[in-house]
Amino acid sequence: MSPSFGIAMFGHSAEQHVAIGVAAEQLGLSDLWIGEHIAAPVDQREGLYHGADIVRDDVELSDIWTVCGAVLAATTTLRVSPGVLIAPLRHPASTALAAVSAARIGGGRFQLGVGAGWLEEEFELIGMEFGNRFGRLSEIVEIVRLLAAGGPVSYSGRYYEFPAIRTTHEPAPFPIIFGGLSEPAVRRAAQLGDGWYGVPGLDLNRVAEVRDIVVEERGTLDGYQLHVRLSPDFTLYDVDRLVELGIDRIVVPWESLWSSKERRTLDADAKIERLQAVAERLGLRGGASSELSAPGGDVAADVGVGHP
């Protein structure tokens, strides 16, 4: 089994997402996962959320739907996914319309990655309740599927209720991939989703546990996508072990390509050069090419060694 490889990005400028997406496709990568947050609190609350280093006030935030649409329009084979959309921050009708639009632009290459979110300040910012986000996520996914299938839809649930509305006349299907790591989150992903998208650097035992939970809930892995993110300091041995576990969709985290500081200081060509080195290391078909550059930029050549 030969795995496909993707790249996960977050905190880069909108134009760099597009440039790196185009280069990723040329290098033979299959997927681009684009993380989202809608605001970075300047004054972070001590202990209120995990991973405080993720959403700092020096990250470059971009609108997830604008960037997904731009990358899809600039590529022809790359699968593009929010990694992940914080779905409870939006009304499901809004998410459905945006996802249907992205699916049409991408011609079947769009995947909707969803999660419940963990940064409470974002929910407070837009007046959304934080405590019920998991329950709302389940209803959101149900509503999005109904609206994307075409035809009028009315809904009456615990959290959402609306009369008949229409998002699209013709069906615009797309896979829905769940994030989350806790056992309830993985079971929710297996029950309601078409796949699961992991956090970086899970040990092999935890990956095996996720796989086994999915099989327990669904009876099989057939037709289900498990996207596993590597550790920033991954080795080819790590890739081989994932393949041995039956994982055929492997994601390279941006942290293995450049540091948090370099995320803002490196230009697109320098980042593409790093990506090219990793593609060569993974044996991808475009990894040995030197004819890559950001649109309007200089050609990234003389790749040399991989990520330091």
Side-chain angles (χ1 to χ4, degrees):
M1 176 178 61
S2 297
S4 64
F5 292 95
I7 177 175
M9 295 182 63
F10 170 69
H12 303 75
S13 66
E15 64 273 20
Q16 285 199 358
H17 279 101
V18 178
I20 292 169
V22 170
E25 178 178 83
Q26 294 172 348
L27 288 167
L29 280 88
S30 300
D31 293 87
L32 175 64
W33 293 85
I34 304 169
E36 88 138 350
H37 283 282
I38 65 167
V42 175
D43 298 318
Q44 297 182 352
R45 298 180 189 170
E46 185 68 27
L48 233 177
Y49 50 87
H50 65 81
D53 196 46
I54 297 174
V55 191
R56 307 176 311 195
D57 68 343
D58 64 343
V59 300
E60 189 74 31
L61 298 179
S62 302
D63 177 70
I64 189 67
W65 293 116
T66 303
V67 172
C68 281
V71 176
L72 287 164
T75 55
T76 58
T77 63
L78 190 74
R79 292 187 295 262
V80 179
S81 316
V84 293
L85 181 81
I86 308 170
L89 289 176
R90 302 164 174 84
H91 191 280
S94 174
T95 296
L97 180 59
V100 164
S101 301
R104 292 232 164 89
I105 293 170
R109 294 180 292 118
F110 174 74
Q111 302 180 131
L112 178 58
V114 297
W118 53 266
L119 184 58
E120 188 170 2
E121 283 92 329
E122 288 181 296
F123 287 76
E124 293 178 350
L125 176 67
I126 61 173
M128 285 287 189
E129 187 173 340
F130 182 72
N132 64 10
R133 65 196 187 282
F134 294 106
R136 289 195 290 117
L137 178 59
S138 297
E139 288 195 5
I140 289 166
V141 168
E142 181 182 13
I143 292 167
V144 168
R145 286 194 193 279
L146 290 169
L147 289 170
V153 173
S154 60
Y155 191 84
S156 180
R158 179 176 179 182
Y159 301 104
Y160 297 99
E161 183 171 0
F162 51 82
I165 61 172
R166 185 194 302 273
T167 294
T168 177
H169 288 271
E170 299 297 328
F174 43 83
I176 299 182
I177 314 295
F178 279 71
L181 183 57
S182 68
E183 182 174 336
V186 175
R187 292 193 182 277
R188 184 184 306 113
Q191 294 163 2
L192 303 178
D194 302 298
W196 175 81
Y197 175 64
V199 301
L202 289 183
D203 65 58
L204 291 171
N205 289 334
R206 185 63 181 128
V207 174
E209 289 173 1
V210 169
R211 179 201 60 192
D212 293 345
I213 289 172
V214 172
V215 172
E216 179 184 334
E217 291 290 339
R218 300 176 65 90
T220 180
L221 278 177
D222 291 348
Y224 195 80
Q225 303 178 26
L226 289 174
H227 297 263
V228 176
R229 272 189 280 180
L230 295 163
S231 299
D233 57 350
F234 76 90
T235 66
L236 295 181
Y237 175 74
D238 298 326
V239 173
D240 290 341
R241 292 294 304 276
L242 287 174
V243 173
E244 290 172 4
L245 285 176
I247 306 301
D248 62 354
R249 297 169 186 261
I250 298 174
V251 182
V252 176
W254 65 264
E255 295 94 333
S256 68
L257 299 164
W258 42 80
S259 67
S260 294
K261 180 180 179 180
E262 288 175 326
R263 176 171 54 179
R264 292 204 66 182
T265 59
L266 290 179
D267 64 18
D269 278 335
K271 290 179 178 177
I272 290 169
E273 191 171 338
R274 298 270 183 94
L275 181 60
Q276 185 173 359
V278 169
E280 185 172 1
R281 179 179 165 197
L282 294 171
L284 297 179
R285 58 177 170 78
S289 170
S290 62
E291 297 301 317
L292 291 171
S293 66
D298 296 329
V299 173
D302 301 322
V303 172
V305 299
H307 179 258

